[in-house]
């Protein structure tokens, strides 16, 4: 039995930790260790001049004295190299165990030991999602009596795939879309390790097919939208939820005086985060000095650009919101003449909280209120964007997708346009013409 690694609290080396590959946890000393897994010594050094950037490295050391010696050498190397991106892990040695392979994959996601041309500069939430899915994978194996710390990567077969998929659809009770989103990172992880270290091995997870996801392309009808507007008041926006961990009832007030304006702005086809980030300076004028359109950053497509260097070179991905008579009046009512060309936000400029929180309040409040209508079909804030797409299709069936910022019409047709409503509206207009 291996001797447990030690890291005393007194006179500890700042930046040296005990690390659990199985649970992805850092321990500053051995007194706070919460698991019985085999731990490794690992460094995490803050990069001077940055807010949160760190350089990490694992040490193959059995004793504290050896770990401290390797840690000090690593600090000197980093300082002498001005904390530049260098290969921090020894990748020549093929990882044997599943947890070691998972750590290599997460390091790759974090651009640790990755050459410049292969760096992805991924957002933290993408990396966290990959970490979470690999934790689920380990939970599935542990549930079936497999010790992930000593389980070899090359032993992954169809039976293991069965354990994981059954766990996702059983105890985790994932919906079809969630299942697809969580299986994808496992396939990517497997392909990464196989390509780099096990080229003769097949990926058994490739046999897992995507589950069918039905895209609900429902519009929010005029009477439904106005009903939601009429429900906006402090009494109707007290949301109570039970904390799953503490089992305590949490009560939160979601009413804000700008909610109605936010709902009307959302009818223009923007996502909640785009609506909350609209500024008066985004309004562009035509040659006659009249409002022509609103130019906004397409945050979703911008995030999909993987390389920061490309983002800096090509600029942010932007799209234009059509200036309709309805939008023109709304902007005037919100104070366009006083605030035009300023860098203030159109919505909730005086709100002390973050733009992310404002976008969350916007969608949560709408979802809560429309649920009170007890509609036969489930509709949410995102259906406002689908309502806009459907309206654009009715106006111009050839160029409607451009209003959504999409590069082709099939994306908009397959995921946004409610064709049942289109046919119903066309029949209504036809009957009106005959009358």
């Amino acid at each position: 039995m291996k001797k447990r690694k030690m890291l005393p609290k007194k006179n500890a080396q700042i930046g040296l930790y005990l690390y659990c590959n199985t649970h992805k946890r850092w321990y500053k000393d051995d007194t706070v260790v919460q698991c019985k897994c085999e731990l490794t010594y690992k460094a995490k050094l803050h990069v001077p001049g940055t807010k949160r950037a760190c350089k990490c490295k694992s040490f193959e050391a059995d004793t504290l004295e050896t770990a401290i010696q390797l840690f000090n050498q690593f600090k000197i190397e980093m300082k002498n190299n001005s904390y530049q991106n260098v290969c921090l892990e020894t990748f020549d040695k093929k990882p044997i165990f599943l947890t070691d392979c998972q750590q290599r994959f997460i390091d790759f996601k974090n651009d640790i030991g990755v050459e410049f041309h292969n760096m992805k500069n991924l957002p933290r939430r993408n990396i966290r999602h990959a970490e979470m899915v690999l934790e689920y994978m380990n939970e599935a194996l542990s549930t079936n009596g497999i010790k992930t710390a000593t389980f070899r990567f090359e032993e992954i077969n169809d039976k293991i795939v069965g354990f994981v998929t059954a766990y996702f659809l059983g105890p985790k009770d994932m919906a079809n879309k969630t299942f697809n989103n969580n299986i994808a990172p496992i396939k990517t992880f497997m392909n990464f390790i196989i390509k780099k270290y096990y080229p003769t091995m097949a990926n058994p997870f490739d046999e897992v097919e995507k589950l069918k996801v039905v895209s609900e392309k429902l519009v929010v009808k005029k009477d439904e939208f106005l009903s939601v507007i009429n429900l906006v008041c402090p009494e109707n926006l007290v949301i109570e939820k039970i904390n799953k961990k503490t089992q305590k009832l949490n009560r939160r007030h979601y009413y804000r005086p700008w909610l109605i304006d936010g709902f009307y702005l959302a009818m223009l086809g923007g996502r909640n985060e785009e609506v909350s980030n609209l500024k008066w300076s985004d309004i562009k004028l035509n040659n006659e000095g009249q409002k022509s359109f609103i130019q906004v950053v397409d945050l979703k497509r911008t995030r999909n650009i993987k390389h920061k260097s490309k983002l800096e070179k090509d600029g942010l991905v932007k799209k234009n919101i059509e200036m309709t008579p309805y939008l023109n009046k709304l902007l005037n009512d919100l104070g366009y003449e006083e605030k035009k060309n300023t860098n203030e936000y159109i919505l909730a400029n005086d709100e002390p909280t973050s733009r992310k929180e404002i976008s969350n309040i916007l969608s949560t409040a709408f979802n809560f209120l429309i649920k009170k209508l007890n509609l036969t079909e489930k509709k949410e804030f995102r259906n406002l964007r689908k309502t806009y797409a459907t309206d654009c299709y009715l106006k111009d069936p050839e160029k409607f997708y451009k209003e959504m910022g999409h590069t082709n019409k099939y994306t908009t047709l397959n995921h946004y346009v409610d064709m049942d409503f289109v046919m119903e509206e066309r029949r209504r207009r036809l009957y009106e013409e005959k009358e």
Side-chain angles (χ1 to χ4, degrees):
M1 184 176 179
K2 285 189 176 182
K3 187 178 179 181
R4 194 170 182 83
K5 291 183 171 61
M6 307 296 291
L7 186 60
K9 185 175 182 180
K10 188 176 181 180
N11 300 323
Q13 296 282 328
I14 298 176
L16 181 62
Y17 296 84
L18 288 172
Y19 184 77
C20 174
N21 282 316
T22 303
H23 298 96
K24 308 294 184 291
R25 291 176 180 168
W26 300 78
Y27 299 110
K28 61 182 179 180
D29 60 75
D30 51 48
T31 63
V32 295
V33 175
Q34 299 176 357
C35 61
K36 298 181 180 180
C37 307
E38 184 178 345
L39 306 177
T40 59
Y41 290 108
K42 191 165 185 176
K44 183 163 69 171
L45 298 178
H46 173 252
V47 178
T50 66
K51 189 174 182 180
R52 295 178 182 175
C54 293
K55 295 296 182 182
C56 304
K57 184 176 183 180
S58 299
F59 303 118
E60 294 183 3
D62 295 326
T63 65
L64 176 61
E65 292 75 16
T66 305
I68 292 175
Q69 183 180 2
L70 294 173
F71 174 69
N72 289 330
Q73 291 177 1
F74 175 64
K75 284 202 300 184
I76 294 172
E77 290 174 3
M78 286 290 94
K79 187 175 181 180
N80 292 339
N81 199 44
S82 300
Y83 291 84
Q84 297 300 309
N85 286 328
V86 295
C87 184
L88 305 182
E89 299 279 1
T90 305
F91 288 95
D92 294 333
K93 185 178 179 181
K94 181 169 75 172
I96 303 299
F97 300 113
L98 173 62
T99 52
D100 293 333
C101 292
Q102 290 174 341
Q103 186 56 48
R104 292 284 175 89
F105 178 65
I106 295 302
D107 286 345
F108 171 74
K109 287 278 188 179
N110 281 295
D111 290 333
I112 297 176
V114 178
E115 298 301 330
F116 179 79
H117 64 284
N118 285 326
M119 289 184 177
K120 304 298 182 184
N121 298 298
L122 297 175
R124 177 57 196 163
R125 67 178 177 281
N126 291 18
I127 300 171
R128 179 60 193 131
H129 179 243
E131 292 174 340
M132 179 188 70
V133 170
L134 295 181
E135 287 176 11
Y136 288 163
M137 180 183 184
N138 293 342
E139 288 174 10
L141 301 186
S142 299
T143 301
N144 288 278
I146 296 175
K147 297 181 179 179
T148 55
T150 56
F151 183 74
R152 292 174 173 268
F153 179 85
E154 60 188 355
E155 294 176 343
I156 297 177
N157 53 25
D158 286 340
K159 193 170 185 179
I160 300 300
V161 176
F163 288 156
V164 174
T165 53
Y167 183 74
F168 281 10
L169 297 174
K172 283 296 179 183
D173 193 24
M174 295 180 182
N176 288 9
K177 185 175 181 179
T178 306
F179 176 85
N180 294 341
N181 290 341
N182 287 336
I183 280 294
I186 294 181
K187 290 183 178 181
T188 305
F189 155 68
M190 292 291 297
N191 288 330
F192 170 78
I193 297 298
I194 289 172
K195 181 179 178 180
K196 196 168 183 68
Y197 303 109
Y198 297 83
T200 60
M201 179 179 172
N203 183 358
F205 278 91
D206 282 341
E207 300 299 319
V208 181
E209 296 183 359
K210 285 187 176 182
L211 299 182
K212 186 176 181 180
V213 177
V214 179
S215 179
E216 294 290 345
K217 300 176 289 184
L218 302 173
V219 303
V220 178
K221 296 179 181 179
K222 182 179 179 180
D223 60 330
E224 296 168 346
F225 181 77
L226 293 177
S227 296
V228 170
I229 295 298
N230 291 332
L231 287 174
V232 177
C233 66
E235 295 78 17
N236 287 334
L237 281 164
V238 180
I239 301 179
E240 296 179 342
K241 290 183 180 180
I242 296 177
N243 189 302
K244 293 182 180 179
K245 292 184 179 180
T246 63
Q247 294 301 311
K248 291 183 179 180
L249 183 66
N250 294 331
R251 183 181 288 104
R252 185 175 177 187
H253 297 266
Y254 275 84
Y255 173 77
R256 299 292 189 279
W258 44 261
L259 276 178
I260 292 178
D261 294 333
F263 293 163
Y264 275 109
L265 284 171
M267 287 290 284
L268 304 171
R271 301 178 180 90
N272 57 343
E273 57 183 356
E274 294 169 353
V275 171
S276 63
N277 281 282
L278 287 175
K279 292 185 177 182
W280 294 104
S281 56
D282 295 331
I283 300 174
K284 306 303 178 184
L285 308 179
N286 56 24
N287 294 333
E288 298 175 354
Q290 301 297 320
K291 294 188 286 291
S292 180
F293 58 88
I294 302 180
Q295 189 175 70
V296 298
V297 176
D298 191 325
L299 296 173
K300 183 177 180 180
R301 290 178 63 198
T302 296
R303 282 195 296 266
N304 287 340
I305 298 179
K306 295 182 178 180
H307 298 283
K308 283 184 179 178
S309 57
K310 182 178 179 181
L311 187 64
E312 292 166 357
K313 180 180 178 181
D314 298 340
L316 302 174
V317 179
K318 296 184 179 182
K319 63 181 180 181
N320 298 334
I321 296 177
E322 179 188 6
M323 186 60 61
T324 61
Y326 153 75
L327 175 56
N328 185 58
K329 183 179 182 304
L330 178 60
L331 293 173
N332 288 337
D333 292 342
L334 291 175
Y336 171 75
E337 290 299 330
E338 297 177 3
K339 300 179 180 180
K340 59 183 177 182
N341 300 324
T342 66
N343 209 34
E344 293 185 10
Y345 293 105
I346 294 177
L347 184 68
N349 184 69
D350 298 327
E351 189 77 26
T353 188
S354 67
R355 290 290 112 183
K356 182 178 180 181
E357 179 65 12
I358 288 173
S359 66
N360 289 338
I361 291 173
L362 200 61
S363 57
T364 302
F366 186 89
N367 295 343
F368 183 71
L369 291 176
I370 200 170
K371 194 174 181 180
K372 285 178 174 287
L373 301 181
N374 295 318
L375 302 176
T376 55
E377 299 165 316
K378 182 181 178 182
K379 297 181 182 181
E380 298 176 331
F381 183 87
R382 60 183 175 180
N383 291 96
L384 295 177
R385 181 167 164 80
K386 296 177 182 182
T387 303
Y388 178 75
T390 304
D391 184 57
C392 290
Y393 181 83
L394 283 166
K395 290 179 179 177
D396 191 341
E398 295 300 323
K399 299 180 180 179
F400 66 98
Y401 63 94
K402 294 182 180 180
E403 298 294 337
M404 301 296 294
H406 295 154
T407 55
N408 63 77
K409 63 181 180 181
Y410 301 106
T411 299
T412 317
L413 279 174
N414 294 336
H415 300 284
Y416 291 89
V417 178
D418 183 350
M419 292 306 298
D420 291 336
F421 180 82
V422 169
M423 298 304 296
E424 178 184 331
E425 185 66 16
R426 284 177 174 173
R427 283 194 295 269
R428 185 187 66 79
R429 293 179 183 180
L430 181 62
Y431 293 147
E432 288 180 353
E433 289 176 3
K434 288 183 178 181
E435 292 177 358

